[in-house]
Amino acid sequence: MTVGGSAPSSRPTSGRRRAEPVRRKRTLGAPGMPRISMKTRGWRYGLIGTAILLLLGWFLWYAMTPEDLPTSDKTVSASGVAGTPLYVGMFTAPDDFGRTLRISGVKVAATTNTDLTITPVLCRRGNVGVTTEPEQFCSDLVDPEGARMVGGDSIMLKIESAEPAVAVIERIRIAFREDVRWDTRAAGHDQAIITMAGRPTTEDAAG
């Protein structure tokens, strides 16, 4: 028995439900990437471009500065006869040369009192001083343009004249490529002084 009040009812009361607060779910994700300004990009591209230009500059300097070729202060004196080719050795690669040159040309400068023909020749595995028969000293005679030159090979000049002549030939210059490097460098003797005498006539021989 209840006095002075009423007992609470165990039944749910009818009517609207009380709204519960909505809880927002937090999503986990990667933090936003910082934006790179155009100014920062410009500095980065500038540094990369500068590094590339420096690398190209160094490569060009390296490619165009191979080691010098051996030279000497020697002057060669040679005498021949007009109408007979004369061979004069101008540069010999030493046996311990340790280099392989791909020759693209041999430049020759000469002062002469008449017309004569000067032709560079590559002597393989041999060298000459002055001779009219280079086959005795060289295993092979080839045009140096486009040929390989290694230790023990030499460059000589084939001199031909149809009449008496005097010539002073300056130190030769060899244009070559070595691996990725190339240049034209002086090589060999300082100069050669050539005298081509006239061929004796029948009258001279009889006298």
Side-chain angles (χ1 to χ4, degrees):
M1 180 176 180
T2 304
V3 179
S6 60
S9 174
S10 59
R11 291 191 228 175
T13 58
S14 61
R16 295 182 179 178
R17 285 186 172 182
R18 186 176 179 181
E20 295 182 359
V22 179
R23 296 179 180 179
R24 296 183 177 179
K25 295 182 180 181
R26 293 182 180 180
T27 57
L28 299 177
M33 296 296 292
R35 294 184 178 179
I36 301 176
S37 66
M38 293 302 295
K39 186 176 181 180
T40 304
R41 289 182 179 179
W43 274 103
R44 182 176 298 178
Y45 294 151
L47 290 175
I48 294 174
T50 301
I52 292 174
L53 289 176
L54 289 175
L55 183 61
L56 288 175
W58 175 86
F59 177 78
L60 288 175
W61 171 83
Y62 175 80
M64 300 180 68
T65 55
E67 296 181 20
D68 289 335
L69 299 176
T71 59
S72 74
D73 296 330
K74 181 179 179 180
T75 296
V76 179
S77 297
S79 299
V81 178
T84 301
L86 181 68
Y87 294 81
V88 179
M90 294 296 289
F91 169 66
T92 299
D95 293 333
D96 59 351
F97 192 44
R99 302 168 65 180
T100 299
L101 308 182
R102 177 70 69 175
I103 300 175
S104 57
V106 177
K107 298 183 178 181
V108 182
T111 302
T112 178
N113 66 337
T114 188
D115 292 336
L116 52 80
T117 302
I118 303 176
T119 306
V121 179
L122 175 62
C123 168
R124 292 198 183 280
R125 294 182 292 281
N127 64 86
V128 300
V130 178
T131 185
T132 56
E133 298 179 351
E135 297 83 1
Q136 297 181 1
F137 307 95
C138 307
S139 63
D140 195 12
L141 300 172
V142 298
D143 182 352
E145 186 171 352
R148 291 187 311 114
M149 184 176 191
V150 297
D153 295 343
S154 63
I155 297 289
M156 56 187 177
L157 300 178
K158 178 182 178 182
I159 303 167
E160 299 174 283
S161 177
E163 56 184 338
V166 175
V168 177
I169 303 174
E170 304 300 328
R171 192 194 313 271
I172 63 172
R173 295 176 59 82
I174 301 176
F176 66 92
R177 179 173 59 84
E178 183 181 8
D179 297 328
V180 297
R181 309 173 82 175
W182 71 90
D183 201 359
T184 300
R185 294 295 174 95
H189 303 319
D190 182 49
Q191 63 179 4
I193 300 176
I194 310 299
T195 302
M196 302 294 284
R199 182 177 295 277
T201 63
T202 305
E203 295 179 359
D204 293 335

